[in-house]
Amino acid sequence: MLVSPRPICINTLSIYKSRKGDRLISPKEQEAIRNVFRSAEIAYEPKFYQYQYSLAWL
């Protein structure tokens, strides 16, 4: 059984929008994805397509 040290809380709509390209994945979400790869003992690091620096206005 795969157990993450921290729960990953990404809702289904966020995943859909991210895969479609309408929403960027935050650095925190990228790190969570890397931790899942490490926990599953996958031999390679996940690759993300691009990096974009911008301010997140709330």
Side-chain angles (χ1 to χ4, degrees):
M1 179 168 83
L2 177 63
V3 178
S4 177
R6 288 177 279 172
I8 300 172
C9 298
I10 303 174
N11 67 33
T12 307
L13 183 59
S14 293
I15 293 171
Y16 173 76
K17 287 185 173 188
S18 297
R19 288 183 56 105
K20 190 177 170 192
D22 294 339
R23 177 186 173 277
L24 299 176
I25 299 173
S26 71
K28 189 174 184 179
E29 291 171 326
Q30 290 179 14
E31 189 58 34
I33 293 167
R34 284 187 190 96
N35 288 334
V36 169
F37 272 59
R38 289 182 196 122
S39 296
E41 298 179 2
I42 297 174
Y44 59 90
E45 289 284 318
K47 296 190 191 277
F48 302 101
Y49 295 116
Q50 65 182 359
Y51 176 82
Q52 180 177 355
Y53 180 80
S54 63
L55 298 175
W57 295 96
L58 302 176

